[in-house]
Amino acid sequence: INTFKFANATSQNPVSMTLENADMSSLDGWEILNTGSKGFHINSSNNHNYNALGSNPFMEAYNGGGITCPNYARQTFKEMPVGKYVFSADVIAQRGTAGCSGIELFANDNSTPCSSTQSNYSTRYSVELNLTESSDITVGLRVLAESNATWVGWDNAELKYYGDGSHDDDPVRLNV
């Protein structure tokens, strides 16, 4: 971890963490529970534009009869410093052409439900995590056991560190 960057992170100057394959060009770096026929895979042959997901590639699980439940795609960062983190991604989560239940973007035990309000259109979701002591952070997308989703796609994952709050009013660190 770059100690200098973390020590100088603020709410105005967050540090972007490096997620392996955040652009979903492959499954490398992602720990995935199920990659079978109804599980997560990379869609690299799509010819539609799904808003921020773009055309391809993106990670998805699709099956008209329902996707594999439970499931997850996640990455873990070891011994992260105290402070505020925000994990975000562009997500489509639906049952047929309507919204669904049981899809979450998560950071450790915190989560944000994801359900498309417009068919085949991605939305940017985020989840905040505040560490009060140094510990591991696991971020990703999960399909809960009770999910009724038939399709979930996601792309452009991002994890940012906003510091511990101690420098948020410092004009030097804020580049004022």
Side-chain angles (χ1 to χ4, degrees), residues 100-129:
C100 65
S101 62
I103 305 296
E104 296 179 336
L105 196 67
F106 71 92
N108 287 1
D109 293 333
N110 296 358
S111 62
T112 297
C114 303
S115 179
S116 297
T117 56
Q118 185 176 347
S119 179
N120 300 332
Y121 194 84
S122 64
T123 300
R124 188 82 177 164
Y125 292 94
S126 63
V127 58
E128 186 176 311
L129 175 68

Side-chain angles (χ1 to χ4, degrees), residues 2-10 15 81 161 163-164 166-167 173:
N2 185 323
T3 305
F4 178 79
K5 287 174 81 173
F6 278 86
N8 289 290
T10 68
V15 174
Y161 173 65
D164 63 7
S166 64
H167 302 299
R173 287 192 169 90

Side-chain angles (χ1 to χ4, degrees), residues 7-80:
N8 289 290
T10 68
S11 60
Q12 299 298 313
N13 291 311
V15 174
S16 291
M17 308 293 300
T18 301
L19 285 158
E20 188 173 351
N21 284 308
D23 65 353
M24 308 303 175
S25 58
S26 81
L27 297 178
D28 294 343
W30 292 100
E31 177 188 349
I32 299 175
L33 181 62
N34 186 307
T35 58
S37 65
K38 297 180 182 182
F40 284 117
H41 60 274
I42 299 299
N43 183 332
S44 58
S45 61
N46 179 55
N47 61 0
H48 299 288
N49 188 332
Y50 298 115
N51 188 29
L53 257 58
S55 299
N56 58 51
F58 56 87
M59 190 184 303
E60 73 172 351
Y62 172 78
N63 186 284
I67 59 178
T68 300
C69 305
N71 201 358
Y72 57 73
R74 65 187 185 190
Q75 290 188 29
T76 299
F77 292 83
K78 300 290 186 182
E79 300 176 30
M80 300 307 293

Side-chain angles (χ1 to χ4, degrees), residues 123-138:
T123 300
R124 188 82 177 164
Y125 292 94
S126 63
V127 58
E128 186 176 311
L129 175 68
N130 288 294
L131 291 184
T132 56
E133 60 185 43
S134 179
S135 65
D136 295 352
I137 297 176
T138 301

